[in-house]
Amino acid sequence: MAACSFRRSIASQLSKVLDLPPENLIKSISAVPVSKKRQVADFQLSIASVTEDSSRNCLAQDPQLQAQKLAERLKCDAVVSEISAGPGTVNFTINRELLAKAVLQQVLKDGSEYGVKSELFSTVPRQKAVIEFSSPNIAKKFHIGHLRSTIVGNFIANLKVALGHEVTRINYLGDWGMQFGLLGVGFQRFGNKEKLKSSPLQHLFEVYVQINKAAEDENTKELAKDFFRKLEEHDEQTLSLWKQFRDLSIEEYIRIYKRLGVRFDEYSGESFYQEKSQEVLKMLEDKGLLQKTTKGTGIVDLSEKKDLSSFSTVMRSDGTSLYITRDLAAAIDRMNKHSWDTMIYVTDKSQSNHFQQLFQILKLMGYDWAERCQHVSFGLVQGMKTRRGEVIFLEDVLNEVRSRMLQNMASAKTTKEIEDPMETAEKVGLAALIIQDFRGLLSSDYQFSWDRALQSRGDTGVFLQYTHARLHSLEQMHGNKQLTDVNVACLQEPDAISVLQHLLRYDEVLYRSSQDLQPKHIVSYLLTLRLQKNMSSFSQVEEAVGKKTLAHCSGGSSSSAAFRSL
Ligand code: ARG
């Protein structure tokens, strides 16, 4: 019997008693979270979920009583060894030897796909997803919001891939607009070709800061306008300089994203949609959705009563496009190109209104697929500073995390044998950064603290990596050789049962994260696994077999979908 069939087996018995199809019951049966204080049953059925499901009047009473009545009508069998009633739940305990055998067999059989192959996902159709994330602006700050978008978007993309969906990762750069007029003039004045080649992001940012200071004078403003106009007219020389800015910036981004384990299928950007946004304006006009204001700008009425109580500006008075117009063109283009089932934009919550309006206009234009667009937003991170001060470059954050971690490692005794301390410090430090970010709800703001994130104990990425490395070390010491012949009688102590029970819940946790796209379910699952009491017995075994610590975690051989998705 496979572990994933436990729910099915319970559902099949319940289905006879409740006269409901077993498929409807499977999602109402959940593995019970492990408790440190007491032993718990393995699965529970919430009475509320079946009363919602059916209008059966036998269940329309006090939940405790209902649970008791239902429990009395069920029988133990070869799979379920105990049935009890709790407040509003019926609890099921699986035959102890069967539990151990089935969970281990399932883990061995599914390997890195453990949890992903669960029946919980069997009804979820495979989809094509476009995920747009990171999306920094060339020559401007890569602020902490861009970092958050990068790791959250990457999480969503990895999770979707692990669950069998087809994912296209898009980086939509801020690579157009008046800022390029200024940047062009600035480069002519302060630019240096060598510096542009060797560190484009830093150099362009510096030039941009310098020219912004100079932009007070009318002459500079005029020159910038001129440069941008030439760019829009596709003047060859102007365009070629802009292209260099863009290409060299992307090259450097690719290198830095690699340190984070992030890659993109497409580097798109606002520049792609200059012409297409003119087509969008034409379409809006043809559909009677574009209204001209007295100032000459173009707006779309978004109010229900069509009284302009809410509207979106889509055209400047000179006829050029705006941020939202380019987004309209990009969404339509992506649909034509990828025929996606779902499209996700990941940015901070300050852009919620923008995306709301974007989806609304698409709907007004008659694109039903606008309903399948989603904005995943997140809160603000306060107080992240690097040695260079406020965050301007992604690379500074990565260097800071690495050097702080290196320092911590140097002062800890356990990490002396590491072969490549830089590499290890980087991997562990990044895990710390990501776990700190993923612990809470994405929409929450939080106060960033290097010290809290990098603590070696407690709910941190550092300790999670440390635990992972220890488990790896055990695996290496003992190999997989005896696992075909497990003596399950040895896995009956409460600590072992707790780990097995925790493993039973993994698919549900993945399912939750896949539904609400919140990484916190997976993160707290992993942190709980780390807290399992029997980690102390792991560490005893580890002591016995010799110490291998953090060195392993840079091997990248993490075996679960959860680790891959983080
Ligand atoms: N470049 C924008 C910024 O830094 C984010 C782009 C978000 N994506 C979009 N399709 N509008 O604020």
Side-chain angles (χ1 to χ4, degrees):
M1 163 138 221
C4 67
S5 316
F6 289 147
R7 261 188 228 103
R8 195 158 278 154
S9 162
I10 296 170
S12 117
Q13 210 196 132
L14 277 165
S15 129
K16 288 180 204 129
V17 174
L18 293 169
D19 196 20
L20 284 169
E23 309 81 66
N24 294 13
L25 291 162
I26 283 183
K27 282 196 181 131
S28 306
I29 301 165
S30 54
V32 181
V34 225
S35 155
K36 259 207 234 160
K37 293 185 206 91
R38 60 196 164 81
Q39 291 206 37
V40 290
D42 303 315
F43 289 96
Q44 65 185 21
L45 170 86
S46 129
I47 289 290
S49 66
V50 285
T51 38
E52 266 166 34
D53 236 274
S54 78
S55 51
R56 245 138 266 276
N57 43 21
C58 71
L59 292 176
Q61 320 157 355
D62 163 40
Q64 172 79 41
L65 208 66
Q66 288 170 21
Q68 251 163 26
K69 280 197 178 158
L70 180 56
E72 278 159 21
R73 293 168 68 197
L74 298 166
K75 283 192 213 71
C76 293
D77 54 20
V79 177
V80 176
S81 62
E82 209 180 306
I83 301 171
S84 65
T89 60
V90 178
N91 309 319
F92 303 87
T93 303
I94 303 292
N95 171 305
R96 279 325 186 211
E97 295 214 345
L98 194 57
L99 175 75
K101 207 184 229 154
V103 170
L104 290 182
Q105 266 172 9
Q106 193 82 52
V107 170
L108 275 181
K109 185 163 149 270
D110 294 346
S112 63
E113 292 191 307
Y114 178 72
V116 167
K117 291 196 157 179
S118 153
E119 72 266 17
L120 293 181
F121 296 103
S122 61
T123 53
V124 180
R126 297 284 166 266
Q127 289 194 322
K128 267 192 180 174
V130 164
I131 304 174
E132 188 223 271
F133 61 105
S134 197
S135 309
N137 304 317
I138 289 178
K140 289 196 180 167
K141 262 193 284 184
F142 187 104
H143 56 71
I144 189 73
H146 292 123
L147 173 60
R148 219 173 171 196
S149 168
T150 310
I151 58 179
V152 171
N154 190 49
F155 161 78
I156 296 174
N158 285 354
L159 182 62
K160 290 216 179 262
V161 169
L163 296 175
H165 302 291
E166 199 182 306
V167 169
T168 305
R169 300 155 188 253
I170 298 183
N171 196 334
Y172 182 74
L173 299 172
D175 59 358
W176 203 251
M178 260 313 282
Q179 89 221 46
F180 284 91
L182 268 179
L183 192 65
V185 177
F187 195 76
Q188 284 159 352
R189 216 175 282 172
F190 314 109
N192 174 318
K193 289 243 169 201
E194 288 314 308
K195 281 192 189 161
L196 179 67
K197 284 225 170 69
S198 60
S199 44
L201 297 180
Q202 173 149 357
H203 187 55
L204 289 177
F205 181 76
E206 282 163 3
V207 168
Y208 190 60
V209 171
Q210 269 176 299
I211 192 69
N212 255 306
K213 278 189 201 140
E216 293 299 306
D217 99 73
E218 283 306 313
N219 185 31
T220 309
K221 272 191 200 153
E222 276 312 306
L223 286 173
K225 259 195 207 153
D226 229 37
F227 191 97
F228 188 57
R229 192 181 37 76
K230 277 200 209 147
L231 203 54
E232 290 206 300
E233 286 165 2
H234 293 187
D235 169 70
E236 217 173 291
Q237 248 190 333
T238 319
L239 207 58
S240 128
L241 186 62
W242 167 85
K243 200 169 160 348
Q244 265 191 56
F245 294 164
R246 186 178 196 276
D247 290 351
L248 292 169
S249 297
I250 292 179
E251 243 174 63
E252 195 176 355
Y253 272 131
I254 292 178
R255 180 178 63 75
I256 304 167
Y257 284 132
K258 210 169 177 180
R259 284 175 66 180
L260 267 173
V262 171
R263 56 158 198 91
F264 291 91
D265 299 299
E266 262 179 44
Y267 278 85
S268 167
E270 293 181 47
S271 65
F272 285 41
Y273 298 106
Q274 279 311 296
E275 267 121 68
K276 286 208 167 84
S277 49
Q278 290 304 320
E279 288 167 30
V280 167
L281 290 172
K282 177 89 185 41
M283 278 157 77
L284 286 168
E285 190 155 25
D286 291 348
K287 287 178 198 283
L289 293 166
L290 188 70
Q291 300 187 27
K292 292 263 171 67
T293 65
T294 47
K295 285 186 216 143
T297 56
I299 59 172
V300 175
D301 189 353
L302 297 175
S303 64
E304 249 174 57
K305 293 188 190 143
K306 297 289 161 227
D307 57 3
L308 286 177
S309 53
S310 121
F311 65 88
S312 170
T313 308
V314 292
M315 189 183 81
R316 287 208 179 84
S317 53
D318 62 0
T320 56
S321 65
L322 285 143
Y323 182 52
I324 193 157
T325 335
R326 298 193 276 276
D327 256 330
L328 286 165
I332 299 166
D333 183 51
R334 287 176 197 168
M335 180 41 105
N336 291 339
K337 232 160 93 197
H338 301 287
S339 355
W340 44 263
D341 299 298
T342 172
M343 174 153 68
I344 294 173
Y345 298 87
V346 189
T347 79
D348 70 58
K349 57 190 179 191
S350 71
Q351 298 205 33
S352 295
N353 206 23
H354 165 78
F355 286 105
Q356 220 58 48
Q357 297 199 341
L358 174 67
F359 305 157
Q360 237 180 312
I361 300 175
L362 287 168
K363 230 174 173 172
L364 287 173
M365 291 175 85
Y367 294 118
D368 295 341
W369 47 257
E371 296 195 348
R372 289 185 268 122
C373 292
Q374 194 183 349
H375 177 219
V376 172
S377 65
F378 51 80
L380 305 176
V381 184
Q382 285 130 359
M384 186 193 262
K385 288 227 161 60
T386 68
R387 258 157 234 177
R388 296 222 278 184
E390 168 201 29
V391 173
I392 295 174
F393 303 108
L394 173 58
E395 194 164 26
D396 285 345
V397 179
L398 305 188
N399 291 346
E400 182 90 13
V401 108
R402 184 172 61 191
S403 75
R404 282 184 187 256
M405 193 61 218
L406 261 178
Q407 232 170 27
N408 289 4
M409 280 160 53
S411 55
K413 287 188 205 109
T414 41
T415 50
K416 290 218 165 111
E417 305 157 27
I418 289 172
E419 282 160 34
D420 187 346
M422 285 280 263
E423 167 89 359
T424 303
E426 172 137 329
K427 291 263 151 60
V428 179
L430 284 175
L433 208 65
I434 293 170
I435 293 297
Q436 153 130 316
D437 197 271
F438 284 6
R439 278 178 52 201
L441 222 85
L442 291 180
S443 59
S444 323
D445 302 341
Y446 72 89
Q447 187 70 34
F448 183 82
S449 149
W450 287 109
D451 287 341
R452 187 158 18 89
L454 292 172
Q455 263 167 23
S456 57
R457 300 259 137 197
D459 281 351
T460 66
V462 179
F463 205 39
L464 202 56
Q465 285 281 26
Y466 176 65
T467 310
H468 183 243
R470 285 160 73 194
L471 290 174
H472 246 300
S473 162
L474 276 177
E475 208 177 27
Q476 271 183 346
M477 286 297 164
H478 301 289
N480 287 350
K481 44 190 185 289
Q482 284 148 14
L483 284 179
T484 42
D485 184 23
V486 185
N487 181 359
V488 285
C490 298
L491 288 172
Q492 300 303 317
E493 310 117 61
D495 286 349
I497 296 282
S498 289
V499 175
L500 292 167
Q501 286 180 320
H502 197 58
L503 290 171
L504 271 184
R505 269 190 77 219
Y506 183 49
D507 56 351
E508 290 176 23
V509 171
L510 279 180
Y511 186 77
R512 274 184 83 176
S513 278
S514 74
Q515 291 298 296
D516 64 10
L517 304 180
Q518 296 285 340
K520 73 173 185 131
H521 310 302
I522 296 179
V523 167
S524 67
Y525 176 87
L526 291 174
L527 291 170
T528 312
L529 178 63
R530 177 187 66 74
L531 284 176
Q532 294 295 303
K533 243 169 52 196
N534 76 323
M535 278 313 296
S536 59
S537 40
F538 279 144
S539 89
Q540 278 157 18
V541 179
E542 191 188 25
E543 291 293 336
V545 293
K547 217 168 212 140
K548 292 248 168 111
T549 53
L550 284 169
H552 298 296
C553 63
S554 55
S557 49
S558 346
S559 53
S560 75
F563 268 102
R564 275 189 285 116
S565 63
L566 291 176

